[in-house]
Amino acid sequence: MAARNILVALLPFILLSGATLLLLFIVLGGIKDSNPLNRIFYFEANTSGIGNAPPISRWTLWNVCSVSNGLNSDCRSNKPAYAFQPDVNFGSTSGVPSAILNSHRTYYYLSRFSFAFFLIATIFSGFAFLSGLFALCSLLASSVTAGLALVALITDIIASSLATALYVKARNAFRADGRSAHLGVKLFAFAWTSVACLILCSVGYLLIFRAGRARTRGAVPLENEKRRGRFFRRRREYPADGESGTHVMEPQTTHEQSSF
């Protein structure tokens, strides 16, 4: 039975592990110029003629980079919650699409909050992963893991939605200005796949906890019946004629009647 419970809890744990790994790739993408982190980015656009920008630029959660052989290269210094502001990033408003300049604060807050929620989602997913190790053999740990996974899910949905809205809006602005632009396929695939994994693992852990509670409640009436069955056959030790003895209390039957 214990082996069966572990196998049942293994599937949501695998999904949770996958979601945690994907979120780590998202948060660490672009932080270092090494494979595979130099393949992950939010947004790529033609930025030629914009201040000191390279011909092609890529934005990550931490910085903005140029592109070499299809990889992030010459990335600027890392800054947490790096804001998407082409005019500030490259030190000039010349060449920046007017739609972006007119919605400067919108892009700023969307990029900052998406970073914050991705970071929160990663932290809670990490804690859920640790709790999930104990959930392989503990019903209580399953409930804790489900709660942590739900928090990670909610924040991951918010982060993915904010990032998608931000960079779809930016892509449309660059294209309307006659510049090529596209989203980072890997990052957004990781983001929405992690959402799907967290949904499935949260449901899995909730079902495991509910089934475990049902089995526990079903065992209580059975135990009570056993106790009532033993009520009429109890053994008591008491002293008799200076010696210890054991007396068995038998239930009185209806066949034992007095004769008159």
Side-chain angles (χ1 to χ4, degrees):
M1 183 62 71
R4 177 186 174 186
N5 293 338
I6 292 175
L7 289 175
V8 170
L10 191 59
L11 179 57
F13 180 72
I14 292 173
L15 292 169
L16 178 59
S17 302
T20 305
L21 181 62
L22 292 174
L23 286 169
L24 283 173
F25 275 129
I26 292 172
V27 171
L28 297 178
I31 199 172
K32 189 176 181 181
D33 187 11
S34 61
N35 191 44
L37 301 181
N38 57 3
R39 299 175 180 271
I40 301 171
F41 59 94
Y42 264 137
F43 179 67
E44 179 181 302
N46 180 348
T47 53
S48 58
I50 302 178
N52 58 1
I56 302 294
S57 298
R58 285 179 174 177
W59 279 264
T60 73
L61 270 73
W62 300 91
N63 48 36
V64 63
C65 308
S66 59
V67 182
S68 176
N69 298 321
L71 303 175
N72 304 344
S73 66
D74 299 325
C75 297
R76 303 194 176 189
S77 59
N78 295 327
K79 293 181 180 179
Y82 192 80
F84 179 80
Q85 297 175 294
D87 53 323
V88 176
N89 302 149
F90 304 124
S92 175
T93 59
S94 176
V96 178
S98 58
I100 293 178
L101 294 174
N102 294 336
S103 303
H104 189 273
R105 293 177 66 86
T106 300
Y107 287 98
Y108 174 82
Y109 285 114
L110 285 175
S111 55
R112 301 275 286 188
F113 277 104
S114 65
F115 174 90
F117 280 105
F118 270 130
L119 186 60
I120 294 171
T122 304
I123 292 172
F124 275 94
S125 184
F127 282 128
F129 173 81
L130 296 176
S131 178
L133 294 172
F134 297 97
L136 293 174
C137 54
S138 170
L139 182 61
L140 177 61
S142 296
S143 66
V144 173
T145 305
L148 292 171
L150 283 172
V151 176
L153 170 62
I154 293 170
T155 51
D156 192 15
I157 290 175
I158 294 173
S160 300
S161 300
L162 291 175
T164 302
L166 164 64
Y167 289 106
V168 167
K169 186 178 176 69
R171 180 198 62 188
N172 295 340
F174 270 88
R175 288 181 176 178
D177 200 51
R179 296 175 179 271
S180 61
H182 65 271
L183 306 183
V185 176
K186 291 184 178 64
L187 188 145
F188 284 99
F190 289 169
W192 289 108
T193 302
S194 68
V195 169
C197 288
L198 286 172
I199 289 174
L200 293 174
C201 82
S202 298
V203 172
Y205 279 118
L206 288 173
L207 291 176
I208 290 171
F209 178 69
R210 183 176 180 181
R213 287 290 300 274
R215 286 195 300 269
T216 302
R217 290 175 179 174
V220 171
L222 180 60
E223 184 64 25
N224 290 339
E225 289 294 332
K226 291 180 180 178
R227 290 175 181 174
R228 283 195 292 268
R230 291 193 298 265
F231 178 76
F232 295 104
R233 296 188 60 85
R234 294 177 301 174
R235 295 180 178 272
R236 293 181 180 176
E237 295 184 357
Y238 63 93
D241 298 329
E243 297 182 354
S244 296
T246 302
H247 178 67
V248 179
M249 302 291 294
E250 297 289 347
Q252 186 176 9
T253 63
T254 57
H255 296 289
E256 297 176 0
Q257 300 178 353
S258 302
S259 59
F260 295 94

